């Protein structure tokens, strides 16, 4: 029984992350964005019923299919109850704002179509670009307020207010999922790409849940971006560049952590664990990304990720540094600046890189202190330990703290052995 309970505790959050957003998207296609809370309530009640039922009767053979059956039945029940509501609700039903339940299905194609429509519907100009992305991350990706705050480097209270305003604007707007025009799609695709980029980043280098890597988020980001590629209206050079970036980064996921969940630095990664098929897919989408004259941040980051998957040669890090220099001109950020310093160290050495890093001086960044700890490790062990200690104080991640503590222990042992 205890094993069954543990299995249920692991399975439900996983299914919630994978299926809740899909379920909500299909339901919203029927209820309309004005009634998004109804869709979310039905999806939430479905998972609540699963937690209660499975704890007593055990996990069904096909858990996802069970969930969709319950959601379908709950939706049919809603439509039945709707028929006895006051005339105002009946009138709304007859206007087509809520589709009839006879058309209601959860097949794979319907889910994919609904999610694609939902992404663009949520990225609604009625809200600011940042609010659109916040809402999409919450509704479509199942992000918590804390995860969204981490993605935006903002306070949770700020994100809560932003989400509340965005949902109100969405409710007041009569936009329907089925009325997407070519103009709607083209005007919103930039925000959609940014949302998927942030979704992948949270999976690739997670700041929450004490996990360094969350593969399910990376997989979901790849799946949704692939949907854009498969649609002629959204199969753009930028979309291809973003998918290439995701493929290159995903190819190294298994090599980035050990069996204890601790980070493995790039130089120590086992290249035999790199996924060659994903690298080849990355190459394919990167070639497609240059079908035109546009060069975006996704092109540059995909180029950097490509060079990270290639064998070491004399020019590799020079290419990476040049791409970071271009990226800094296009979109400067503390994270990009620190990543550039790492490449700079590979080309010009740690001593010069330390001087470059100290010019940035973002003292409240744990990544800044991690980088300086790494750069000082072979030159001044005391300073390296001090910076790693500061990084431990600044990070909230339990996994990151463990990895950094282990590195400090290694440096202490190195120091005492001399």
């Amino acid at each position: 029984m205890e094993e069954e309970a543990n299995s249920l505790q692991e399975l439900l959050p996983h299914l919630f992350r994978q299926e809740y957003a899909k379920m909500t998207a299909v339901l919203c296609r029927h209820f309309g964005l004005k009634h998004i809370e109804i869709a979310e309530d039905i999806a939430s009640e479905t998972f609540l019923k699963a937690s209660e039922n499975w704890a007593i009767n055990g996990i069904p053979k096909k858990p996802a299919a069970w969930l969709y059956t319950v959601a379908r039945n709950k939706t049919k029940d809603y439509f039945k109850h709707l028929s006895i509501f006051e005339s105002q609700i009946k009138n709304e039903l007859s206007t087509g704002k809520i589709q009839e339940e006879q058309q209601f299905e959860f097949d794979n194609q319907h889910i994919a179509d609904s999610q694609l429509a939902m992404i663009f519907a949520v990225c609604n100009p009625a809200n600011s670009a940042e609010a659109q992305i916040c809402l999409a991350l919450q509704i479509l990706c199942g992000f918590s307020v804390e995860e969204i705050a981490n993605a935006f480097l903002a306070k949770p209270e700020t994100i809560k207010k932003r989400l509340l305003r965005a949902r109100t604007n969405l409710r007041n707007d009569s936009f329907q999922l089925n009325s997407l025009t070519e103009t709607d799609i083209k005007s919103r695709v930039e925000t959609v790409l940014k949302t998927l980029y942030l979704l992948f980043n949270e999976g690739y280098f997670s700041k929450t849940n004490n996990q360094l890597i969350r593969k399910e988020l990376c997989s979901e980001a790849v799946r949704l971006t692939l949907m854009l590629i498969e649609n002629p209206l959204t199969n753009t050079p930028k979309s291809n560049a973003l998918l290439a970036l995701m493929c290159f980064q995903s190819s190294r996921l298994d090599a980035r952590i050990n069996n204890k969940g601790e980070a493995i630095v790039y130089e120590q990664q086992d290249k035999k664990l790199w996924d060659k098929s994903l690298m080849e897919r990355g190459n394919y989408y990167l070639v497609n990304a240059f079908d035109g004259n546009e060069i975006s941040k996704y092109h540059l980051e995909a180029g950097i990720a490509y060079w990270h998957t290639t064998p070491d040669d004399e020019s590799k890090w020079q290419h990476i540094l040049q791409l970071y220099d271009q990226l800094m001109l296009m979109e400067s950020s503390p994270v990009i600046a620190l990543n550039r310093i790492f490449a700079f160290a590979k080309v010009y050495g740690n001593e010069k890189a330390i001087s470059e890093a100290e010019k940035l001086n973002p003292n409240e960044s744990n990544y800044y202190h991690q980088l300086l700890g790494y750069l000082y490790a072979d030159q001044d062990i005391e300073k390296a330990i001090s910076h790693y200690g500061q990084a431990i104080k600044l990070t909230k991640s339990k996994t990151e703290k463990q990895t950094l503590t282990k590195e400090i222990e290694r440096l202490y042992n190195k120091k005492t052995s001399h």
Side-chain angles (χ1 to χ4, degrees):
M1 282 295 289
E2 187 177 338
E3 188 178 333
E4 179 83 8
N6 289 338
S7 179
L8 181 59
Q9 285 178 350
E10 289 177 11
L11 178 64
L12 266 177
H14 172 73
L15 281 172
F16 184 84
R17 174 69 76 178
Q18 284 208 317
E19 308 301 336
Y20 178 85
K22 298 176 187 176
M23 199 178 285
T24 304
V26 176
L27 291 166
C28 270
R29 200 163 188 180
H30 289 267
F31 294 114
L33 287 178
K34 189 173 181 181
H35 302 283
I36 191 169
E37 279 82 4
I38 298 172
E40 290 178 322
D41 285 347
I42 289 175
S44 297
E45 286 168 13
T46 297
F47 279 91
L48 179 61
K49 185 169 182 178
S51 68
E52 294 169 348
N53 185 289
W54 297 358
I56 298 168
N57 301 318
I59 299 168
K61 287 183 180 178
K62 295 181 178 179
W66 188 98
L67 289 169
Y68 285 118
T69 301
V70 171
R72 185 185 296 112
N73 290 338
K74 282 186 175 293
T75 305
K76 287 180 177 179
D77 287 344
Y78 177 84
F79 282 117
K80 285 175 186 173
H81 293 145
L82 197 62
S83 64
I84 61 170
F85 282 5
E86 61 267 29
S87 58
Q88 183 184 349
I89 302 295
K90 287 182 181 177
N91 289 338
E92 192 165 24
L93 178 63
S94 66
T95 63
K97 288 183 182 177
I98 300 179
Q99 295 181 16
E100 294 180 6
E101 54 95 359
Q102 284 85 352
Q103 302 172 25
F104 185 81
E105 273 308 323
F106 272 119
D107 61 82
N108 288 338
Q109 188 58 50
H110 198 59
I111 289 172
D113 290 346
S114 296
Q115 277 199 285
L116 191 61
M118 185 71 169
I119 292 172
F120 282 91
V122 171
C123 293
N124 190 326
N127 290 311
S128 68
E130 284 194 341
Q132 291 172 44
I133 295 167
C134 286
L135 204 55
L137 286 171
Q138 186 185 57
I139 294 171
L140 284 158
C141 310
F143 270 37
S144 66
V145 170
E146 183 192 0
E147 287 168 331
I148 298 171
N150 284 331
F152 277 92
L153 304 176
K155 293 179 180 178
E157 281 304 314
T158 303
I159 297 300
K160 279 182 186 176
K161 289 175 184 174
R162 194 177 292 170
L163 285 168
L164 186 63
R165 284 195 301 269
R167 280 176 172 269
T168 302
N169 289 340
L170 212 56
R171 262 197 309 273
N172 294 340
D173 190 43
S174 59
F175 188 85
Q176 291 290 298
L177 267 66
N178 295 327
S179 64
L180 287 168
T181 65
E182 186 172 342
T183 305
D184 289 326
I185 289 172
K186 286 183 177 178
S187 67
R188 299 173 189 213
V189 71
E190 192 68 40
T191 307
V192 171
L193 291 174
K194 181 71 180 290
T195 302
L196 298 179
Y197 174 80
L198 290 173
L199 171 60
F200 184 87
N201 280 357
E202 174 58 24
Y204 186 75
F205 203 98
S206 180
K207 302 177 189 70
T208 52
N209 291 0
N210 291 323
Q211 290 175 274
L212 189 66
I213 290 172
R214 298 165 71 185
K215 286 185 182 178
E216 80 279 7
L217 296 190
C218 293
S219 298
E220 183 69 359
V222 169
R223 188 183 70 80
L224 292 170
T225 309
L226 189 57
M227 282 166 52
L228 297 182
I229 301 297
E230 290 169 348
N231 188 303
L233 290 176
T234 51
N235 184 16
T236 65
K238 276 188 182 178
S239 299
N240 279 273
L242 179 57
L243 189 53
L245 168 62
M246 291 177 179
C247 288
F248 287 133
Q249 298 287 56
S250 296
S251 72
R252 295 191 294 112
L253 284 177
D254 287 340
R256 286 186 58 233
I257 52 172
N258 62 21
N259 54 13
K260 294 178 182 176
E262 297 166 338
I264 301 174
V265 294
Y266 178 77
E267 297 96 328
Q268 295 171 13
Q269 289 175 14
D270 182 355
K271 292 182 175 62
K272 292 193 288 292
L273 294 176
W274 292 3
D275 189 326
K276 289 183 180 177
S277 65
L278 278 170
M279 292 182 207
E280 288 167 4
R281 286 179 67 187
N283 286 330
Y284 171 79
Y285 293 118
L286 189 57
V287 169
N288 289 348
F290 286 97
D291 183 18
N293 300 319
E294 184 181 26
I295 300 293
S296 68
K297 63 171 259 177
Y298 305 121
H299 286 80
L300 296 175
E301 289 197 38
I304 291 166
Y306 160 78
W307 280 108
H308 274 87
T309 64
T310 60
D312 286 322
D313 61 48
E314 290 182 8
S315 62
K316 171 176 175 170
W317 288 102
Q318 289 175 343
H319 286 301
I320 291 173
L321 181 58
Q322 285 170 5
L323 288 166
Y324 269 123
D325 287 340
Q326 291 179 58
L327 190 57
M328 285 289 289
L329 292 172
M330 188 176 289
E331 185 177 308
S332 178
S333 77
V335 173
I336 293 171
L338 292 171
N339 287 337
R340 178 190 168 275
I341 298 293
F342 182 85
F344 186 92
K346 294 292 183 185
V347 177
Y348 297 108
N350 287 11
E351 193 172 331
K352 288 184 178 178
I354 288 168
S355 297
E356 285 284 305
E358 288 176 342
K359 290 176 188 173
L360 300 175
N361 198 29
N363 271 316
E364 295 307 307
S365 164
N366 65 304
Y367 305 120
Y368 169 71
H369 289 288
Q370 280 186 52
L371 177 63
L372 279 176
Y374 168 82
L375 294 175
Y376 271 117
D378 293 328
Q379 298 186 43
D380 189 328
I381 289 179
E382 287 292 342
K383 281 191 176 180
I385 289 171
S386 173
H387 281 292
Y388 278 135
Q390 192 63 25
I392 288 172
K393 290 178 185 176
L394 291 169
T395 183
K396 295 177 183 176
S397 167
K398 185 180 176 183
T399 306
E400 226 171 26
K401 287 178 190 289
Q402 290 171 344
T403 302
L404 292 168
T405 300
K406 191 175 178 180
E407 186 59 19
I408 288 175
E409 288 170 1
R410 186 188 72 81
L411 290 174
Y412 267 126
N413 292 335
K414 182 179 177 181
K415 181 184 175 184
T416 53
S417 65
H418 284 288

